[in-house]
Amino acid sequence: MNHVFINPAKAAALKNRAHLRCVFACLVFCLSPQASAQSDIFQKWNFSGFGTLGYAHTDKYSDLILKRNISQRSQKIEDNGFLVDSRLGFQISKEFLTDWDLVTQLVIKEKVHNDVENSLEMAFVRYQFNPMWSVRFGRMVLDSFLLSDHRNIGFSYHWVRPPTEFYGWIPYSHYDGIKASFELGDFEHYLRLDAFVGKSDSTVNIGYGEGGTSYNYVNAHSIIGIGITWEKGDLALRAYSSKFKIADEIAAIEQLKAITSTPAVQTNWPQAQQIAQDYGLENADYSYHSLGLLWEPGAWMLQAEVSDVNSSSFGTYGGQRGYVHLAHRFAEFLPHISYSRSWDDTDYAYESAPVGFEELEAVLIDNELSGLIKQYTISLGLRWDFASQKALKVQCDRTTIKEGSFGIFPTPRGVPRTMPETTRTWCSTTFDWLF
């Protein structure tokens, strides 16, 4: 079996493990001397968990595969429809004295490079200066969406899976760093301001291939972000803005640069090397801005999010994403409808290749299509809360995929992967529970 990492990725992964070890060392050496005076140091640990068992007809079509997000392995999902949404999570928390607490969350789910360290979604220690100010150190979820704190907990939301157009392309679910928060509120109002810095990494499978350059390690550093959350009664609003930089080149682009740097290509089609350079992710700057709304008047529920993504790299995700979701509860039943869409403003604006380089041109264009998400989905679903902390869900999605958009749903077709605009329908079901 081929290892999915290039050398910089291996080094970065080791650094991340070292970072987590430092967090736990801080817990032991910084907190233990104070906590040792407490008789309950090994008591009053809070344990909880969550799970989802699901099935989706991922191989319904021979030319497109349903995926929850780009971190899942395409061929594994194609052969095992129960892996798309199934997951199992464990969370442990502990208060130390009156000002410190620890939270750890481990989530087992389908993804590339699925080991214990990579499955650790949260592992942070928090210090509460006073009722308003707090700071966290360690691994935390990315606070950029309405579902940030509970995206892995299927029981906490209505859908079988969150809207793919909005959430499916995001490679990162957590970051290692520091977060400061200011909270102010009472029984009617709530306001929270956040500021965070850190780094993150993920291995993604964009496309159908398995191993080699189909698995790409994406290492983000210099993450910096700010956010605000405001709640009043049934209404909640959230706005976040963040920036980061990609530290290393991914394997697929390294291969593309190697192909276009041969003497024959440089002599007869020098623009090809420039195109490959424009696709490069190393040191590329990204910005992500999002707005979210949640309104729950009585039995009704309205939720919506919009986001804007900008990048200095030509060959990756950009544009706008958004969705609107409406639901109404009838006793233990909750029917819902959603509309989600992704716009991508990337356009291949290079001159055509000279005669004899048509195959190379097809490869270059194909790399652009791998980062395009131009599609929209209408979803109908039903949730049945048949018992305490247990729910059954069914959902059908009708997705229209614009021509040449392969950013989320991969195709087994080889290069050139030309496909006209098409509409597909998938249905899925899950059983979600808490324990």
Side-chain angles (χ1 to χ4, degrees):
M1 177 179 178
N2 293 329
H3 201 285
V4 300
F5 292 116
I6 57 178
N7 288 336
K10 293 180 181 178
L14 291 174
K15 289 181 181 178
N16 285 338
R17 292 188 179 95
H19 171 80
L20 290 175
R21 287 195 294 268
C22 289
V23 171
F24 287 110
C26 178
L27 291 176
V28 173
F29 294 109
C30 298
L31 298 183
S32 293
Q34 302 179 62
S36 60
Q38 306 296 318
S39 60
D40 64 343
I41 181 62
F42 295 113
Q43 301 175 8
K44 297 182 180 179
W45 287 82
N46 299 313
F47 173 82
S48 60
F50 54 89
T52 295
L53 181 61
Y55 179 78
H57 196 180
T58 52
D59 60 349
K60 179 180 179 180
Y61 303 103
S62 61
D63 56 352
L64 281 175
I65 300 167
L66 174 68
K67 289 178 68 172
R68 184 184 179 103
N69 56 58
I70 60 174
S71 67
Q72 295 180 322
R73 293 171 291 180
S74 301
Q75 294 187 29
K76 199 74 172 180
I77 290 294
E78 180 185 26
D79 297 334
N80 303 277
F82 68 91
L83 290 177
V84 179
D85 302 298
S86 297
R87 59 202 56 223
L88 186 63
F90 307 92
Q91 183 164 315
I92 300 175
S93 60
K94 167 68 177 175
E95 291 186 1
F96 297 90
L97 302 177
T98 58
D99 304 322
W100 296 87
D101 69 315
L102 164 71
V103 177
T104 302
Q105 185 187 87
L106 182 75
V107 181
I108 303 170
K109 59 184 179 181
E110 160 53 30
K111 59 184 173 182
V112 181
H113 187 52
N114 201 351
D115 60 15
V116 174
E117 187 275 332
N118 198 36
S119 299
L120 201 61
E121 293 291 334
M122 290 191 289
F124 66 85
V125 59
R126 173 171 46 198
Y127 178 69
Q128 194 80 35
F129 293 96
N130 55 49
M132 292 183 293
W133 287 96
S134 66
V135 62
R136 302 181 185 188
F137 306 89
R139 174 163 294 185
M140 295 156 282
V141 296
L142 279 171
D143 279 335
S144 299
F145 335 101
L146 285 177
L147 304 183
S148 290
D149 295 331
H150 52 93
R151 188 163 32 141
N152 284 307
I153 307 174
F155 185 84
S156 66
Y157 45 80
H158 302 159
W159 307 282
V160 165
R161 72 187 67 88
T164 305
E165 283 76 14
F166 192 86
Y167 285 96
W169 71 274
I170 300 171
Y172 308 113
S173 60
H174 55 250
Y175 70 100
D176 299 329
I178 304 173
K179 173 184 172 182
S181 299
F182 172 81
E183 298 176 272
L184 184 65
D186 51 32
F187 291 105
E188 295 184 359
H189 303 81
Y190 173 76
L191 175 69
R192 188 181 81 232
L193 304 175
D194 295 318
F196 56 91
V197 295
K199 61 181 182 179
S200 184
D201 60 9
S202 179
T203 305
V204 300
N205 185 194
I206 302 174
Y208 182 75
E210 185 174 22
T213 57
S214 294
Y215 290 171
N216 286 278
Y217 178 81
V218 189
N219 182 13
H221 67 161
S222 303
I223 300 175
I224 182 171
I226 57 174
I228 180 172
T229 301
W230 177 79
E231 298 178 10
K232 180 180 179 181
D234 301 325
L235 180 64
L237 300 175
R238 172 176 283 198
Y240 270 78
S241 178
S242 59
K243 294 184 177 181
F244 62 92
K245 185 185 292 288
I246 302 298
D248 307 303
E249 193 61 271
I250 64 173
I253 302 301
E254 289 282 10
Q255 183 185 58
L256 199 63
K257 290 180 178 180
I259 294 174
T260 57
S261 63
T262 61
V265 175
Q266 290 182 343
T267 301
N268 298 284
W269 189 26
Q271 188 186 35
Q273 190 174 32
Q274 182 59 54
I275 297 174
Q277 294 290 340
D278 292 344
Y279 282 160
L281 297 184
E282 185 175 9
N283 294 321
D285 294 309
Y286 284 78
S287 64
Y288 183 86
H289 314 287
S290 65
L291 296 171
L293 174 148
L294 176 61
W295 185 37
E296 299 179 284
W300 287 95
M301 188 266 209
L302 175 66
Q303 181 172 322
E305 288 186 272
V306 294
S307 68
D308 179 77
V309 186
N310 282 292
S311 170
S312 61
S313 169
F314 172 74
T316 188
Y317 303 107
Q320 296 74 42
R321 291 90 169 88
Y323 72 87
V324 60
H325 172 70
L326 182 65
H328 188 280
R329 179 167 290 282
F330 300 92
E332 68 268 26
F333 293 98
L334 189 142
H336 56 87
I337 183 172
S338 301
Y339 175 80
S340 54
R341 184 164 190 138
S342 174
W343 299 264
D344 198 313
D345 50 17
T346 304
D347 186 27
Y348 187 88
Y350 300 97
E351 296 180 0
S352 299
V355 176
F357 291 89
E358 292 83 2
E359 290 187 8
L360 177 57
E361 182 181 38
V363 172
L364 291 171
I365 294 175
D366 188 75
N367 271 266
E368 181 214 2
L369 301 182
S370 296
L372 286 181
I373 308 177
K374 296 181 179 180
Q375 63 183 62
Y376 64 88
T377 297
I378 298 175
S379 301
L380 293 174
L382 178 66
R383 171 178 173 139
W384 177 29
D385 291 272
F386 66 93
S388 176
Q389 298 186 338
K390 297 178 180 64
L392 288 172
K393 304 176 190 175
V394 62
Q395 178 175 315
C396 290
D397 304 320
R398 183 172 177 83
T399 301
T400 297
I401 304 170
K402 299 297 184 177
E403 180 179 0
S405 174
F406 298 110
I408 295 182
F409 302 141
T411 177
R413 293 183 177 183
V415 179
R417 297 182 297 170
T418 56
M419 183 180 294
E421 179 176 317
T422 184
T423 299
R424 303 298 167 88
T425 302
W426 288 280
C427 290
S428 311
T429 185
T430 58
F431 166 51
D432 299 278
W433 73 95
L434 303 176
F435 59 90

